[in-house]
Amino acid sequence: MQIALLALQGDFAEHEAVFRKLGCATLQLRQKQDLLQKFDALILPGGESTVQGRLLRELDMLSALRQRIRDGLPVLATCAGSILLAQQLLDDPTVHLGTMGISVRRNAYGRQLSSFAIRGTFGGMKDVPMSFIRAPQIEFCVPDVEVLAEYNGRITAVRQGRQLAMTFHPELDEDRRIAEYFLTNIVQKDR
Ligand code: GLN
């Protein structure tokens, strides 16, 4: 199993450590030619979506990645990564990959609540740690998007086909169940 990490900016190294501990091989995508390597799944890390989006355009990686995702490449996106996947940003005319039927508001929790940690339910798994850092909010989803987690009535994790997106950072906690969920239910599942 080969897991590719978008490694332009953000906390891709933390994601890489998680998947290595789970026995996966990993590779970092830093330039267009890296996309020619073989990989079974893509991780879009947290960080700063404006910077990641700009670099994806400057390095001419955006449309190739978008096509791979449309063709069914499994994707796990956290925080800024979910902003990259969103079909609409509510406070910004920019769309980056735009492959997922969600509308997202950036920095939705305000200044005082910009970083916090809770434990919650994710797709039936209980007591999962969830760290939020200047998190966006998923405000609308198209009908075939499955909501996997919510916090105070706000959607925090969704799945649409082979795309899994969340507004928090599971890679920052020791609990590995979300990465395992991704591998078992999305990457290793037949379409
Ligand atoms: N606030 C960041 C953005 O808008 C996301 C923060 C994160 O990835 N932790 O891109």
Side-chain angles (χ1 to χ4, degrees):
M1 177 79 51
Q2 183 87 307
I3 306 288
L5 303 115
L6 185 66
L8 304 178
Q9 189 271 342
D11 77 334
F12 54 89
E14 284 78 0
H15 282 282
E16 186 163 36
V18 170
F19 284 97
R20 279 175 176 256
K21 276 185 196 147
L22 292 175
C24 301
T26 58
L27 67 97
Q28 297 187 358
L29 305 177
R30 295 176 173 275
Q31 52 189 339
K32 193 174 185 184
Q33 69 195 52
D34 295 338
L35 299 174
L36 300 174
Q37 297 178 68
K38 200 187 154 319
F39 50 90
D40 305 296
L42 171 68
I43 310 301
L44 300 175
E48 198 51 49
S49 57
T50 48
V51 177
Q52 295 179 4
R54 179 169 53 74
L55 290 170
L56 280 171
R57 285 178 177 82
E58 283 175 12
L59 295 163
D60 192 25
M61 295 169 76
L62 192 70
S63 53
L65 270 183
R66 181 186 292 131
Q67 195 54 50
R68 293 286 294 269
I69 297 169
R70 286 201 178 131
D71 290 345
L73 178 70
V75 187
L76 182 152
T78 59
C79 208
S82 59
I83 297 170
L84 294 186
L85 288 183
Q87 258 166 20
Q88 186 187 29
L89 306 186
L90 288 166
D91 39 15
D92 188 331
T94 315
V95 173
H96 301 288
L97 293 161
T99 51
M100 201 172 196
I102 54 175
S103 302
V104 168
R105 188 179 302 282
R106 295 180 58 212
N107 301 320
Y109 291 85
R111 274 181 172 270
Q112 283 190 326
L113 280 176
S114 58
S115 296
F116 57 99
I118 59 162
R119 297 182 84 90
T121 300
F122 178 104
M125 299 185 288
K126 292 199 172 26
D127 206 29
V128 178
M130 301 175 176
S131 297
F132 293 80
I133 303 169
R134 298 181 56 234
Q137 182 181 344
I138 299 166
E139 293 204 3
F140 306 104
C141 307
V142 300
D144 70 328
V145 170
E146 180 188 1
V147 175
L148 293 170
E150 286 179 80
Y151 167 62
N152 279 351
R154 300 183 190 221
I155 298 169
T156 57
V158 287
R159 174 179 176 179
Q160 184 180 29
R162 308 193 100 198
Q163 301 179 72
L164 179 64
M166 60 216 73
T167 61
F168 55 91
H169 289 271
E171 72 283 4
L172 299 182
D173 287 292
E174 284 304 312
D175 193 305
R176 298 288 168 245
R177 283 179 289 170
I178 291 179
E180 287 166 349
Y181 169 95
F182 176 63
L183 291 175
T184 309
N185 294 294
I186 300 183
V187 185
Q188 289 160 352
K189 266 262 183 346
D190 291 337
R191 272 194 255 176

